[in-house]
């Protein structure tokens, strides 16, 4: 899916919805997680198919620190999160394309969704996922702050 959307974006940036292009440069694209029940759950994806950090080039790696900081700041400003969690595993079946989760840690988080347990937000029924139009709205709000 990451590669499909990268290809569509490369052919025509406007062919994918706002939620799939929160941010993009030559190396990275940022999307709102399509299956999250938590508003503002972002994923940072390389523009080419890479499955491990050690496969990245120096040119791809260099801007990553700044990008993660900028996204964390934008999430703080738009969602009121106390910090942003950063995680990379790419272990789920069909999701081997490197993707770094940038997740707003909200002030009202309870114990059962704190730390690694935050992935509970990716295991909810589809009816509880953030609706597409809300994902698009969040994407535009974040993009405006980058
Ligand atoms: Zn891929």
């Amino acid at each position: 899916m990451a590669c499909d959307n990268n290809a569509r974006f490369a052919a025509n940036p406007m062919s994918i919805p706002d939620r799939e292009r929160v941010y993009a440069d030559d190396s990275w694209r940022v999307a709102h997680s399509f299956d999250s029940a938590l508003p503002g759950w972002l994923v940072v994806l390389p523009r080419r198919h890479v499955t491990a950090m050690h496969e990245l080039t120096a040119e791809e790696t260099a801007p990553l620190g700044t990008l993660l900081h900028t996204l964390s700041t934008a999430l703080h400003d738009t969602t009121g999160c106390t910090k942003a969690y950063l995680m990379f595993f790419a272990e789920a079946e069909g999701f081997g394309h490197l993707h770094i989760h940038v997740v707003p840690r909200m002030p009202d988080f309870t114990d059962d969704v704190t730390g690694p347990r935050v992935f509970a937000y990716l295991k909810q029924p589809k009816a509880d996922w953030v609706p597409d139009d809300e994902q698009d709205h969040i994407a535009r709000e974040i993009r405006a702050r980058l």
Side-chain angles (χ1 to χ4, degrees):
M1 192 176 81
C3 280
D4 281 356
N5 281 323
N6 277 347
R8 290 169 62 200
F9 180 81
N12 173 10
M14 304 306 277
S15 68
I16 60 175
D18 286 326
R19 59 187 178 275
E20 288 291 340
R21 49 184 173 87
V22 176
Y23 168 83
D25 60 26
D26 289 345
S27 300
W28 300 96
R29 182 171 59 85
V30 178
H32 192 289
S33 174
F34 73 98
D35 60 351
S36 170
L38 177 68
W41 187 305
L42 303 179
V43 287
V44 179
L45 305 141
R47 293 282 304 275
R48 65 187 180 93
H49 188 75
V50 167
T51 60
M53 284 278 178
H54 68 259
E55 295 170 355
L56 295 171
T57 65
E59 290 72 24
E60 289 165 332
T61 308
L64 192 53
T66 299
L67 178 57
L68 295 174
H69 175 260
T70 302
L71 292 171
S72 298
T73 304
L75 278 179
H76 174 261
D77 294 347
T78 56
T79 70
C81 63
T82 52
K83 57 183 162 185
Y85 291 155
L86 300 174
M87 294 157 291
F88 158 57
F89 302 108
E91 294 282 8
E93 185 75 31
F95 292 90
H97 190 116
L98 190 157
H99 56 286
I100 302 165
H101 299 273
V102 184
V103 181
R105 193 284 191 212
M106 301 308 292
D108 62 353
F109 267 15
T110 48
D111 256 8
D112 56 328
V113 292
T114 304
R117 293 182 295 275
V118 76
F119 279 98
Y121 283 108
L122 295 190
K123 295 174 182 130
Q124 299 306 309
K126 196 166 185 178
D128 292 339
W129 295 359
V130 179
D132 286 351
D133 59 344
E134 190 183 339
Q135 290 185 31
D136 286 334
H137 176 76
I138 294 165
R140 289 189 294 270
E141 275 202 321
I142 292 171
R143 190 192 302 148
R145 291 171 187 271
L146 299 180

